[in-house]
Amino acid sequence: MPKRIIGRTDKVDFPLLGLQDIDVKIDTGAYTSSIHCHNIVEAKDSLICTFFDKKHPLYNGQVMTFSDYDIAAVRSSNGEIQYRYEVQSQITVYGKTYKISLTLTSREDMRFPVLLGRKFLTNKFIVDTSLTDVSYNLKKNESKDFIS
């Protein structure tokens, strides 16, 4: 399958999470992908968290419960290891839906609620840092009704 070009940022959908047109930052320096959430609680063999952030209006306050989750060790750029919950989900980019592993973390001080790392990007995309919103702009243009 040919690799698609993706810019340094884009907007994508997470269909299983009910999130659409969410801002993402492409981070080739990160191995794992992460998504912003808070109120992460482990209860009765389930993981419960809330996708809400007033800075990102598309995060609608939805409470999600995951029965299948893991704990991943994530190394920061300064070498520190942080343990985070990791869930499996789906992401739609360029109209194609892929499986994705997402670590759950608070990104409320960050501009982008989602980072896409190398684990997801490898063998699917080529990153062109001079571009932004490539797949989202294509999606917007395809949804327009053209009058001939």
Side-chain angles (χ1 to χ4, degrees):
M1 178 168 82
K3 296 177 187 176
R4 302 291 301 256
I5 302 282
I6 194 165
R8 68 182 178 271
T9 63
D10 216 322
K11 294 181 191 327
V12 301
D13 299 337
F14 294 93
L16 296 179
L17 304 178
L19 300 171
Q20 295 181 327
D21 300 334
I22 299 298
D23 290 318
V24 297
K25 180 178 179 184
I26 309 308
D27 187 352
T28 59
Y31 178 67
T32 58
S33 298
S34 62
I35 189 166
H36 170 68
C37 69
H38 62 259
N39 297 333
I40 305 168
V41 177
E42 209 173 356
K44 297 183 183 178
D45 298 327
S46 294
L47 188 65
I48 303 165
C49 66
T50 305
F51 290 101
F52 175 76
D53 186 347
K54 59 186 173 188
K55 292 181 192 173
H56 303 285
L58 296 175
Y59 270 62
N60 56 16
Q62 180 177 355
V63 175
M64 295 293 301
T65 301
F66 299 94
S67 57
D68 186 22
Y69 61 93
D70 206 348
I71 296 176
V74 178
R75 186 179 306 272
S76 69
S77 58
N78 64 5
E80 290 182 23
I81 294 179
Q82 182 182 53
Y83 292 94
R84 297 183 188 166
Y85 291 105
E86 183 176 46
V87 297
Q88 303 304 308
S89 194
Q90 293 180 346
I91 183 173
T92 302
V93 185
Y94 279 113
K96 181 171 172 51
T97 301
Y98 303 90
K99 291 179 182 179
I100 187 169
S101 296
L102 295 166
T103 62
L104 306 178
T105 188
S106 174
R107 294 185 50 78
E108 61 191 341
D109 295 332
M110 305 296 180
R111 184 170 170 212
F112 294 89
V114 176
L115 282 184
L116 296 181
R118 293 188 315 271
K119 185 176 175 182
F120 171 71
L121 299 167
T122 300
N123 296 322
K124 296 178 198 75
F125 301 98
I126 296 172
V127 180
D128 184 338
T129 59
S130 68
L131 303 174
T132 59
D133 297 339
V134 180
S135 74
Y136 177 70
N137 289 334
L138 182 65
K139 176 182 166 181
K140 274 191 341 188
N141 289 334
E142 286 177 349
S143 66
K144 289 181 181 176
D145 291 329
F146 291 99
I147 300 173
S148 13

